[in-house]
């Protein structure tokens, strides 16, 4: 990547055209009438949209080129199904289609294998949930979903849990212009015992080199298994500050361990 240039799947996105709303609608009308050249031009002009969507999935460890190609399939489905009479922008309509296609790809390629029957049950449950939510104007209960598709409640729960995408401990959950807060920062570990640490003299020496507040944060986080939020509330500072102080303290301790 150099400047605003991003090359992916052999496409230099810095050279992609930007179409006006009127030009986009004109191409859509021609494409839906069977004009292949107009459809190709429309797809080419919206590849930046695919690129912006796949950035949401960059921490999944998947090949970016593969995600880009799958996202393009979602884009083409969106273009083919877009209704020109709808009072909505093309990008607004296509983004959920692209996201949906990528999520299906990630589920189908999940190393945690889920049986076809379990996935089918989950998709039926999701469809029933949408129908019930529209019909009743509220989120349906598991019992209502189970009743709608006539299967036991526990089967609905198992199926929906089975298709949940695994979360990485290194997925960021919050960032506001500073250091990111990751999933791992929110997890406490009851197995951590202070005695397992202080037996090692070098760690004790490293702790002694820290400032009092940093030493308190390290003890609360790693000896007592508290989350950064719990430590922040106890000390009276923000969670972002706890995160920065923790990282700084660990870097200092590495010099002595």
């Amino acid at each position: 990547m150099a400047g605003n240039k991003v090359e992916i799947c052999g496409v230099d996105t810095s050279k992609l055209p930007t179409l006006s709303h009127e030009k986009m609608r004109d191409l859509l009308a021609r494409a839906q009438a069977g004009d292949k050249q107009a459809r190709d031009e429309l797809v080419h002009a919206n590849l930046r949209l695919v690129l912006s969507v796949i950035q949401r999935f960059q921490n999944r460890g998947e090949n970016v080129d593969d995600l880009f190609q799958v996202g393009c399939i979602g884009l083409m489905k969106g273009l083919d199904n877009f209704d020109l009479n709808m009072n909505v922008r093309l990008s607004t309509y296509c983004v959920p289609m692209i996201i949906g296609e990528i999520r299906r790809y990630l589920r189908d390629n999940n190393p945690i294998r889920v049986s076809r029957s379990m996935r089918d049950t989950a998709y039926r449950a999701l469809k029933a949930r949408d129908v019930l939510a529209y019909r009743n104007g509220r989120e349906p209960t598991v019992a209502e979903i189970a009743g709608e598709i006539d299967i036991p409640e526990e089967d609905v729960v198992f199926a929906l849990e089975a298709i949940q995408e695994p979360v990485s401990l290194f997925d960021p959950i919050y960032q506001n212009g500073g250091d990111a807060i990751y999933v791992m920062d929110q997890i406490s570990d009851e197995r951590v015992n202070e005695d397992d640490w202080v037996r090692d003299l070098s760690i004790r020496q490293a702790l002694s080199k820290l400032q009092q507040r940093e030493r308190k944060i390290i003890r609360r986080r790693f000896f007592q298994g508290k989350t950064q939020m719990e430590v922040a509330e106890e000390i009276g500072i923000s969670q972002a500050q706890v995160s920065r102080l923790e990282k700084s303290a660990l870097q200092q301790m590495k010099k002595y361990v």
Side-chain angles (χ1 to χ4, degrees):
M1 186 182 297
N4 293 322
K5 176 181 177 180
V6 177
E7 189 164 319
I8 186 167
C9 289
V11 178
D12 181 357
T13 57
S14 68
K15 296 181 180 178
L16 292 175
T18 301
L19 303 181
S20 65
H21 181 62
E22 293 73 20
K23 177 65 174 177
M24 197 85 75
R25 292 185 66 85
D26 176 62
L27 287 173
L28 266 170
R30 288 164 48 196
Q32 293 179 358
D35 188 330
K36 185 177 183 303
Q37 183 177 348
R39 185 176 184 271
D40 290 345
E41 187 177 345
L42 200 56
V43 170
H44 195 63
N46 283 279
L47 291 180
R48 279 199 189 94
L49 188 62
V50 178
L51 183 63
S52 68
V53 171
I54 67 173
Q55 289 175 353
R56 306 182 187 187
F57 301 90
Q58 62 184 0
N59 294 321
R60 301 302 178 98
E62 293 289 334
N63 184 283
V64 178
D65 282 359
D66 290 345
L67 292 182
F68 185 76
Q69 293 178 49
V70 173
C72 288
I73 295 174
L75 171 65
M76 289 185 282
K77 286 183 178 179
L79 297 177
D80 293 341
N81 291 285
F82 185 74
D83 186 350
L84 284 165
N85 295 318
M86 292 192 302
N87 186 26
V88 62
R89 297 186 70 86
L90 177 64
S91 58
T92 304
Y93 179 81
C94 284
V95 164
M97 301 286 284
I98 298 169
I99 292 174
E101 198 67 29
I102 292 174
R103 283 179 173 165
R104 276 190 291 274
Y105 167 79
L106 292 174
R107 281 197 297 264
D108 291 343
N109 289 274
N110 193 327
I112 303 173
R113 307 312 299 173
V114 180
S115 69
R116 172 61 64 181
S117 61
M118 185 76 78
R119 283 204 299 268
D120 290 344
T121 299
Y123 297 150
R124 287 177 60 204
L126 291 173
K127 185 175 181 181
R129 184 181 67 183
D130 292 341
V131 170
L132 289 168
Y134 178 78
R135 183 192 304 164
N136 302 327
R138 60 174 174 79
E139 187 71 18
T141 65
V142 172
E144 290 171 334
I145 295 173
E148 181 75 11
I149 58 180
D150 194 26
I151 64 173
E153 290 182 38
E154 57 268 24
D155 288 353
V156 172
V157 174
F158 289 151
L160 291 177
E161 287 183 347
I163 65 168
Q164 293 299 310
E165 298 170 14
V167 176
S168 168
L169 290 174
F170 297 96
D171 280 350
I173 60 174
Y174 177 79
Q175 186 168 14
N176 187 22
D179 294 335
I181 295 173
Y182 299 93
V183 172
M184 66 181 299
D185 295 328
Q186 301 299 298
I187 299 175
S188 60
D189 189 350
E190 301 297 335
R191 298 170 303 174
V192 177
N193 187 296
E194 184 171 0
D195 292 337
D196 296 333
W197 283 69
V198 297
R199 287 195 192 104
D200 192 326
L201 180 60
S202 63
I203 293 179
R204 235 190 288 191
Q205 291 174 334
L207 281 170
S208 69
K209 303 295 183 181
L210 300 178
Q211 296 294 325
Q212 182 178 357
R213 184 166 64 171
E214 292 174 331
R215 188 162 55 245
K216 187 174 185 178
I217 289 173
I218 294 299
R219 289 187 178 279
R220 296 294 186 274
R221 285 282 289 137
F222 299 102
F223 295 173
Q224 299 176 11
K226 292 189 175 183
T227 66
Q228 288 187 348
M229 182 63 75
E230 291 170 334
V231 176
E233 291 177 356
E234 181 179 337
I235 297 179
I237 59 178
S238 70
Q239 185 174 3
Q241 287 176 294
V242 170
S243 178
R244 284 195 294 271
L245 289 169
E246 178 185 312
K247 289 180 174 65
S248 173
L250 291 175
Q251 287 296 325
Q252 291 183 58
M253 290 179 66
K254 284 181 182 179
K255 300 175 183 178
Y256 302 99
V257 177

